[in-house]
Amino acid sequence: MRRGFMQRVSLESRTLASALYDPDRLQLELQFRSGKRYLYFQVPRFCYELLRAPSKGGYFNRTIRNRFAFQDLSKSSAPIVLASNQN
């Protein structure tokens, strides 16, 4: 495991299966129940608070989705997608 990475955490959620955060690179990797994996870039540490949210999927939709550039890790040659709604 690379320095900085926190351990992958399993999530009790209907939407999200697990999360992995790298505070040095500000990267958040999320695995969904569907099996898809996404890597989000420039994610501040406070967004990792989703681990404490009663609804992990709701927190993701409000705080992370469409706010950070991401890459679909489920596809071998997926491009990085820029956030559509940065606030």
Side-chain angles (χ1 to χ4, degrees):
M1 183 181 298
R2 202 172 74 235
R3 183 185 150 284
F5 261 103
M6 294 183 168
Q7 236 173 340
R8 181 173 298 281
V9 177
S10 294
L11 301 175
E12 291 185 26
S13 167
R14 291 183 306 212
T15 307
L16 298 166
S18 67
L20 178 66
Y21 185 68
D22 182 341
D24 294 336
R25 293 185 176 196
L26 300 177
Q27 293 179 347
L28 176 65
E29 181 184 318
L30 295 175
Q31 181 166 358
F32 289 77
R33 294 279 173 205
S34 67
K36 290 202 171 229
R37 287 177 35 238
Y38 293 90
L39 182 62
Y40 293 87
F41 301 94
Q42 296 303 305
V43 178
R45 190 177 183 114
F46 80 85
C47 288
Y48 194 59
E49 296 292 315
L50 79 95
L51 297 179
R52 296 188 196 140
S55 170
K56 301 342 182 230
Y59 185 91
F60 166 77
N61 285 327
R62 285 188 311 278
T63 311
I64 299 168
R65 187 177 194 181
N66 295 326
R67 287 178 171 70
F68 300 99
F70 68 91
Q71 185 173 22
D72 183 347
L73 299 178
S74 306
K75 298 177 183 176
S76 60
S77 61
I80 294 174
V81 178
L82 300 179
S84 62
N85 182 17
Q86 291 189 346
N87 292 338

